[in-house]
PDB file of all heavy atoms in Angstrom:
ATOM      1  N   SER A  55     -13.374   9.137 -24.152  1.00 97.00           N
ATOM      2  CA  SER A  55     -13.218  10.596 -24.184  1.00 97.00           C
ATOM      3  C   SER A  55     -13.827  11.253 -22.951  1.00 97.00           C
ATOM      4  O   SER A  55     -13.386  12.320 -22.523  1.00 97.00           O
ATOM      5  CB  SER A  55     -13.868  11.161 -25.453  1.00 97.00           C
ATOM      6  OG  SER A  55     -15.246  10.812 -25.515  1.00 97.00           O
ATOM      7  N   ALA A  56     -14.821  10.602 -22.350  1.00 97.00           N
ATOM      8  CA  ALA A  56     -15.441  11.163 -21.142  1.00 97.00           C
ATOM      9  C   ALA A  56     -14.449  11.189 -19.983  1.00 97.00           C
ATOM     10  O   ALA A  56     -14.322  12.208 -19.282  1.00 97.00           O
ATOM     11  CB  ALA A  56     -16.677  10.349 -20.758  1.00 97.00           C
ATOM     12  N   GLU A  57     -13.750  10.066 -19.766  1.00 98.00           N
ATOM     13  CA  GLU A  57     -12.741  10.022 -18.688  1.00 98.00           C
ATOM     14  C   GLU A  57     -11.587  10.974 -19.004  1.00 98.00           C
ATOM     15  O   GLU A  57     -11.080  11.668 -18.114  1.00 98.00           O
ATOM     16  CB  GLU A  57     -12.208   8.603 -18.496  1.00 98.00           C
ATOM     17  CG  GLU A  57     -13.180   7.632 -17.834  1.00 98.00           C
ATOM     18  CD  GLU A  57     -14.180   7.051 -18.812  1.00 98.00           C
ATOM     19  OE1 GLU A  57     -13.792   6.821 -19.983  1.00 98.00           O
ATOM     20  OE2 GLU A  57     -15.342   6.835 -18.426  1.00 98.00           O
ATOM     21  N   GLU A  58     -11.174  11.014 -20.278  1.00 98.00           N
ATOM     22  CA  GLU A  58     -10.072  11.911 -20.651  1.00 98.00           C
ATOM     23  C   GLU A  58     -10.441  13.363 -20.385  1.00 98.00           C
ATOM     24  O   GLU A  58      -9.628  14.140 -19.858  1.00 98.00           O
ATOM     25  CB  GLU A  58      -9.702  11.726 -22.120  1.00 98.00           C
ATOM     26  CG  GLU A  58      -8.554  12.629 -22.549  1.00 98.00           C
ATOM     27  CD  GLU A  58      -8.023  12.322 -23.932  1.00 98.00           C
ATOM     28  OE1 GLU A  58      -8.603  11.457 -24.622  1.00 98.00           O
ATOM     29  OE2 GLU A  58      -7.018  12.935 -24.329  1.00 98.00           O
ATOM     30  N   ALA A  59     -11.672  13.741 -20.707  1.00 98.00           N
ATOM     31  CA  ALA A  59     -12.105  15.117 -20.473  1.00 98.00           C
ATOM     32  C   ALA A  59     -12.100  15.454 -18.986  1.00 98.00           C
ATOM     33  O   ALA A  59     -11.698  16.555 -18.577  1.00 98.00           O
ATOM     34  CB  ALA A  59     -13.504  15.334 -21.062  1.00 98.00           C
ATOM     35  N   MET A  60     -12.526  14.495 -18.163  1.00 98.00           N
ATOM     36  CA  MET A  60     -12.520  14.709 -16.708  1.00 98.00           C
ATOM     37  C   MET A  60     -11.097  14.881 -16.184  1.00 98.00           C
ATOM     38  O   MET A  60     -10.830  15.731 -15.331  1.00 98.00           O
ATOM     39  CB  MET A  60     -13.196  13.529 -16.008  1.00 98.00           C
ATOM     40  CG  MET A  60     -14.696  13.453 -16.228  1.00 98.00           C
ATOM     41  SD  MET A  60     -15.604  14.618 -15.195  1.00 98.00           S
ATOM     42  CE  MET A  60     -15.439  13.830 -13.588  1.00 98.00           C
ATOM     43  N   LEU A  61     -10.181  14.094 -16.701  1.00 98.00           N
ATOM     44  CA  LEU A  61      -8.783  14.195 -16.271  1.00 98.00           C
ATOM     45  C   LEU A  61      -8.192  15.541 -16.687  1.00 98.00           C
ATOM     46  O   LEU A  61      -7.452  16.169 -15.912  1.00 98.00           O
ATOM     47  CB  LEU A  61      -7.962  13.042 -16.860  1.00 98.00           C
ATOM     48  CG  LEU A  61      -8.248  11.658 -16.278  1.00 98.00           C
ATOM     49  CD1 LEU A  61      -7.577  10.571 -17.118  1.00 98.00           C
ATOM     50  CD2 LEU A  61      -7.771  11.568 -14.825  1.00 98.00           C
ATOM     51  N   GLN A  62      -8.482  15.965 -17.881  1.00 98.00           N
ATOM     52  CA  GLN A  62      -7.959  17.252 -18.332  1.00 98.00           C
ATOM     53  C   GLN A  62      -8.546  18.399 -17.511  1.00 98.00           C
ATOM     54  O   GLN A  62      -7.837  19.367 -17.186  1.00 98.00           O
ATOM     55  CB  GLN A  62      -8.248  17.448 -19.828  1.00 98.00           C
ATOM     56  CG  GLN A  62      -7.555  16.459 -20.749  1.00 98.00           C
ATOM     57  CD  GLN A  62      -6.038  16.477 -20.634  1.00 98.00           C
ATOM     58  OE1 GLN A  62      -5.431  17.463 -20.198  1.00 98.00           O
ATOM     59  NE2 GLN A  62      -5.409  15.364 -21.017  1.00 98.00           N
ATOM     60  N   ARG A  63      -9.819  18.304 -17.153  1.00 98.00           N
ATOM     61  CA  ARG A  63     -10.418  19.336 -16.300  1.00 98.00           C
ATOM     62  C   ARG A  63      -9.751  19.365 -14.927  1.00 98.00           C
ATOM     63  O   ARG A  63      -9.558  20.431 -14.344  1.00 98.00           O
ATOM     64  CB  ARG A  63     -11.926  19.100 -16.150  1.00 98.00           C
ATOM     65  CG  ARG A  63     -12.738  19.553 -17.358  1.00 98.00           C
ATOM     66  CD  ARG A  63     -14.209  19.781 -17.002  1.00 98.00           C
ATOM     67  NE  ARG A  63     -14.902  18.547 -16.707  1.00 98.00           N
ATOM     68  CZ  ARG A  63     -15.506  17.790 -17.629  1.00 98.00           C
ATOM     69  NH1 ARG A  63     -15.465  18.130 -18.910  1.00 98.00           N
ATOM     70  NH2 ARG A  63     -16.151  16.692 -17.279  1.00 98.00           N
ATOM     71  N   LEU A  64      -9.399  18.178 -14.424  1.00 98.00           N
ATOM     72  CA  LEU A  64      -8.694  18.114 -13.145  1.00 98.00           C
ATOM     73  C   LEU A  64      -7.343  18.816 -13.239  1.00 98.00           C
ATOM     74  O   LEU A  64      -6.946  19.551 -12.318  1.00 98.00           O
ATOM     75  CB  LEU A  64      -8.504  16.651 -12.717  1.00 98.00           C
ATOM     76  CG  LEU A  64      -7.647  16.405 -11.478  1.00 98.00           C
ATOM     77  CD1 LEU A  64      -8.222  17.112 -10.255  1.00 98.00           C
ATOM     78  CD2 LEU A  64      -7.513  14.903 -11.215  1.00 98.00           C
ATOM     79  N   LEU A  65      -6.621  18.611 -14.325  1.00 98.00           N
ATOM     80  CA  LEU A  65      -5.338  19.288 -14.503  1.00 98.00           C
ATOM     81  C   LEU A  65      -5.501  20.799 -14.502  1.00 98.00           C
ATOM     82  O   LEU A  65      -4.727  21.527 -13.854  1.00 98.00           O
ATOM     83  CB  LEU A  65      -4.678  18.846 -15.813  1.00 98.00           C
ATOM     84  CG  LEU A  65      -3.876  17.553 -15.805  1.00 98.00           C
ATOM     85  CD1 LEU A  65      -3.275  17.294 -17.187  1.00 98.00           C
ATOM     86  CD2 LEU A  65      -2.772  17.587 -14.761  1.00 98.00           C
ATOM     87  N   VAL A  66      -6.501  21.286 -15.226  1.00 98.00           N
ATOM     88  CA  VAL A  66      -6.724  22.734 -15.289  1.00 98.00           C
ATOM     89  C   VAL A  66      -7.096  23.282 -13.915  1.00 98.00           C
ATOM     90  O   VAL A  66      -6.549  24.293 -13.464  1.00 98.00           O
ATOM     91  CB  VAL A  66      -7.824  23.062 -16.325  1.00 98.00           C
ATOM     92  CG1 VAL A  66      -8.183  24.549 -16.255  1.00 98.00           C
ATOM     93  CG2 VAL A  66      -7.357  22.699 -17.732  1.00 98.00           C
ATOM     94  N   GLU A  67      -8.026  22.593 -13.246  1.00 98.00           N
ATOM     95  CA  GLU A  67      -8.453  23.080 -11.929  1.00 98.00           C
ATOM     96  C   GLU A  67      -7.295  23.092 -10.937  1.00 98.00           C
ATOM     97  O   GLU A  67      -7.123  24.049 -10.179  1.00 98.00           O
ATOM     98  CB  GLU A  67      -9.584  22.191 -11.384  1.00 98.00           C
ATOM     99  CG  GLU A  67     -10.065  22.637  -9.996  1.00 98.00           C
ATOM    100  CD  GLU A  67     -10.983  21.640  -9.323  1.00 98.00           C
ATOM    101  OE1 GLU A  67     -11.867  21.088 -10.015  1.00 98.00           O
ATOM    102  OE2 GLU A  67     -10.834  21.398  -8.103  1.00 98.00           O
ATOM    103  N   SER A  68      -6.483  22.046 -10.936  1.00 98.00           N
ATOM    104  CA  SER A  68      -5.435  21.920  -9.923  1.00 98.00           C
ATOM    105  C   SER A  68      -4.237  22.837 -10.180  1.00 98.00           C
ATOM    106  O   SER A  68      -3.409  23.019  -9.290  1.00 98.00           O
ATOM    107  CB  SER A  68      -4.961  20.467  -9.824  1.00 98.00           C
ATOM    108  OG  SER A  68      -4.396  20.031 -11.049  1.00 98.00           O
ATOM    109  N   THR A  69      -4.154  23.424 -11.363  1.00 97.00           N
ATOM    110  CA  THR A  69      -3.036  24.333 -11.661  1.00 97.00           C
ATOM    111  C   THR A  69      -3.460  25.787 -11.768  1.00 97.00           C
ATOM    112  O   THR A  69      -2.653  26.687 -11.514  1.00 97.00           O
ATOM    113  CB  THR A  69      -2.321  23.925 -12.962  1.00 97.00           C
ATOM    114  OG1 THR A  69      -3.289  23.810 -14.016  1.00 97.00           O
ATOM    115  CG2 THR A  69      -1.594  22.605 -12.788  1.00 97.00           C
ATOM    116  N   THR A  70      -4.726  26.035 -12.125  1.00 97.00           N
ATOM    117  CA  THR A  70      -5.159  27.425 -12.302  1.00 97.00           C
ATOM    118  C   THR A  70      -6.442  27.765 -11.564  1.00 97.00           C
ATOM    119  O   THR A  70      -6.840  28.930 -11.528  1.00 97.00           O
ATOM    120  CB  THR A  70      -5.383  27.737 -13.807  1.00 97.00           C
ATOM    121  OG1 THR A  70      -6.468  26.930 -14.301  1.00 97.00           O
ATOM    122  CG2 THR A  70      -4.131  27.438 -14.617  1.00 97.00           C
ATOM    123  N   GLY A  71      -7.100  26.760 -10.982  1.00 97.00           N
ATOM    124  CA  GLY A  71      -8.395  26.996 -10.361  1.00 97.00           C
ATOM    125  C   GLY A  71      -8.372  26.876  -8.851  1.00 97.00           C
ATOM    126  O   GLY A  71      -7.318  26.931  -8.210  1.00 97.00           O
ATOM    127  N   VAL A  72      -9.572  26.691  -8.286  1.00 98.00           N
ATOM    128  CA  VAL A  72      -9.721  26.554  -6.839  1.00 98.00           C
ATOM    129  C   VAL A  72     -10.241  25.159  -6.519  1.00 98.00           C
ATOM    130  O   VAL A  72     -10.804  24.477  -7.373  1.00 98.00           O
ATOM    131  CB  VAL A  72     -10.682  27.620  -6.274  1.00 98.00           C
ATOM    132  CG1 VAL A  72     -10.128  29.021  -6.524  1.00 98.00           C
ATOM    133  CG2 VAL A  72     -12.086  27.463  -6.863  1.00 98.00           C
ATOM    134  N   LEU A  73     -10.077  24.759  -5.286  1.00 98.00           N
ATOM    135  CA  LEU A  73     -10.513  23.434  -4.845  1.00 98.00           C
ATOM    136  C   LEU A  73     -12.034  23.320  -4.917  1.00 98.00           C
ATOM    137  O   LEU A  73     -12.758  24.139  -4.338  1.00 98.00           O
ATOM    138  CB  LEU A  73     -10.072  23.179  -3.407  1.00 98.00           C
ATOM    139  CG  LEU A  73      -8.610  22.810  -3.157  1.00 98.00           C
ATOM    140  CD1 LEU A  73      -8.296  22.935  -1.684  1.00 98.00           C
ATOM    141  CD2 LEU A  73      -8.324  21.399  -3.635  1.00 98.00           C
ATOM    142  N   GLU A  74     -12.502  22.311  -5.630  1.00 97.00           N
ATOM    143  CA  GLU A  74     -13.927  22.012  -5.700  1.00 97.00           C
ATOM    144  C   GLU A  74     -14.181  20.713  -4.933  1.00 97.00           C
ATOM    145  O   GLU A  74     -13.368  19.790  -4.982  1.00 97.00           O
ATOM    146  CB  GLU A  74     -14.364  21.837  -7.156  1.00 97.00           C
ATOM    147  CG  GLU A  74     -14.100  23.045  -8.039  1.00 97.00           C
ATOM    148  CD  GLU A  74     -15.032  24.210  -7.758  1.00 97.00           C
ATOM    149  OE1 GLU A  74     -15.985  24.018  -6.973  1.00 97.00           O
ATOM    150  OE2 GLU A  74     -14.801  25.305  -8.312  1.00 97.00           O
TER     151      GLU A  74
END
Side-chain angles (χ1 to χ4, degrees):
S55 58
E57 287 82 35
E58 180 171 5
M60 290 282 287
L61 289 169
Q62 296 301 337
R63 282 201 291 272
L64 173 59
L65 276 181
V66 173
E67 179 191 318
S68 62
T69 53
T70 64
V72 298
L73 283 166
E74 302 288 352

